[in-house]
Amino acid sequence: MKKDEPPAIAMPFRDLKGVVGTLEIGAALALVLAAGDIALALDENGVISDVSVSADDMPDLSSWIGRRWEDTVALDSRPKISEMLASPSSETPARWRQVNHPGPEGNLPIHYRLVDLGEGKPRMAIGRDVRAWASLQQRLLQTQQSLERDCLKLRQTEARFRLLFDMITDPVLVIDASTRRIAAANPASYQLFGAKPGSLDNRDLANVIGGISRDDLIAALGGATATGEHCEMEVKIGEDQPPMMLTALPFRQDNGRQFMIRLSRGDAPAGDSANRRPMAELIERMPDAFVLTDAKMQILTVNSAFVDLVHGSSKEAITGQPLGRFIGRPGIDVDLMRKQLDDHGQVRNATTIVHADDAIEEAIEVSGVKTDAQGGHYGFAIRTVSRRMRDLPPSDRDVPRSVDQLTELVGRMPLREIVRESTDLIERMCIEAALAYTSDNRASAAEILGLSRQSLYSKLHRHGLGNLVGRKDELS
C-alpha cells in the first residue's frame, strides 16, 4: 500500500478528505479507541511501545510496555499473534482474531485486528474486550454439555426400559387413554395373540382382546383415568383358552394419559392377586384409617378413611408425602413410634394428634406393625378418640393432672400457654398437698401457703376443689 493511500474497502466515503480532513491528535485517538477498547502501538519487531485503554473496567496494562506482544498472551494464543505479525501488509485490514491474556483474575479474552499505518509508522493493534461474550459462550457450552448428559441418561434409561419390557414373560401393552389404541407391545403379547411383529401397533385394544364388551372396557379405563388408580377385569383371549386377568395402570406421558396393560393368568404362581384382592378391598372399606409407608416413613398407599381423616383431596396428593406431615407433633411422635417398631416390631394405641390440611387437629390412637419384606415397611391403623373424649363427663377446667399430661401439650399449643398451664398445675398440687397435710383445714392450709383465706377460696373455686367434703373451716 502506497504512502497516504487509504485502504480498499467495500464502500468508501465519496469525499474522504472532506469527511476526515486533517485530524488532530485527540480526534485520531478518539477514532482509534472508538473502534475498540484497547489500542497497542507495535514496532517492527512486535514489541509494544505504547498502550491506550478506553474501558473503565479493564485492568492496568502499563506493564505490557516494552514487552513483546507474544509474551503477553497465553501459550495457545501465541501462534495467532505470530501469524498476525508475519502476514504481509495488505490494502485491507486483517481479520479479527481472539487471544487470551493471562492475569491474576483469570484470562482476559480480547479480539484483535492489526492495522498497518504506513511505511515508517508503527502498526496498531485494535482490541475489543469480549469477556461478556466469552462468559455467555461458556454458559452456552455448559448448558449444551448438561443437555448432552441428560440426553445420554435418557437414552440409557430408555434402553433399560426397552430391555426390561422385552424380557417380561407376561404380555404387556401400552395404549393411549383417549383412543385405546396400542402404542407398544412386548414379544410376549405377540406370542399370546399369535400375531406377527409390529402387527399390533395402532390397533384398538377392544378389537384385539375378546371376552369383554367395548362399553365395559371404556367404563373401566375411564374410571381408572378419573381416580388415578389401577383397575382389573377378567378377559378371555380365545374360546379354548382359560380366562386372564387384565390389569390397567394409568400414567402420564407427553402431556397425555396412557395405560400400561398387563395380562396374567389366574393360575399363575405369582398370582396370589386373587387372594390379595379381597384383603385390599377390606382395607379400603375399613372404617379406621390405614396407611402403609416405606422404611423412610414415606407414604406408599392409604385407604379412603385416611384421606377423610386428614381432609385430603385425593390419594395421589398424599402418596409420597412423609407420614410426619399428617401425624404427630413435629419431630417427636413419628420418630418415637418408628423406634418402638424397630425395637419391638409393633406399637399399640399410641396417643397423638393428626394434622389436617385445613389446620384442624384431632386426637388419635395409632397402632402399627413392621415387616422386614422388601427392605422394611410400616403399616399403621389409626382411629380418632375425639368423640370418645367428648363423651366423657365435662370438668370445670381442663387442666393437666400430671407432668406426663403436661408434656403432651408440646406441639399442640405455644410455650407461653404451656407455662401458664404448668403454673396452674403446680398451684393445684400445692393446694391439695396443704389440704391433705392439714386434714382439709382450710384456715391452716391458707396459713401454710402464705395466702389469705379469701385468696385460698378463690383458688379452690378456680381449680374445682371447692366441693371437697369433710373440710374443717376454722373461721372463728
Side-chain angles (χ1 to χ4, degrees), residues 48 70 408-409 429:
I48 301 173
E70 293 184 22
E408 289 179 359
L409 299 177
M429 294 173 61

Side-chain angles (χ1 to χ4, degrees), residues 173-189:
L173 306 167
V174 178
I175 68 169
D176 185 83
S178 58
T179 63
R180 297 174 303 281
R181 292 188 175 275
I182 299 174
N186 69 340
S189 300

Side-chain angles (χ1 to χ4, degrees), residues 218-267:
I218 294 175
L221 296 181
T225 303
T227 62
E229 300 179 355
H230 74 278
C231 66
E232 293 182 344
M233 65 192 78
E234 192 175 85
V235 297
K236 195 170 184 180
I237 304 302
E239 296 296 335
D240 55 345
Q241 295 185 15
M244 301 187 71
M245 184 60 62
L246 183 149
T247 304
L249 180 66
F251 66 96
R252 297 194 67 87
Q253 181 174 322
D254 297 334
N255 296 326
R257 285 274 189 176
Q258 293 190 340
F259 278 99
M260 183 78 72
I261 305 293
R262 175 176 175 265
L263 297 168
S264 58
R265 300 191 182 276
D267 55 353

Side-chain angles (χ1 to χ4, degrees), residues 409-421:
L409 299 177
V410 177
R412 299 187 185 183
M413 60 176 59
L415 178 62
R416 181 176 57 185
E417 297 183 12
I418 296 178
V419 172
R420 186 172 65 249
E421 296 289 349

Side-chain angles (χ1 to χ4, degrees), residues 57 108-109 128-139:
D57 58 345
L108 175 64
R128 295 175 179 173
D129 182 11
V130 292
R131 283 178 292 180
W133 178 83
S135 175
L136 183 61
Q137 188 180 37
Q138 184 68 23
R139 290 173 57 188

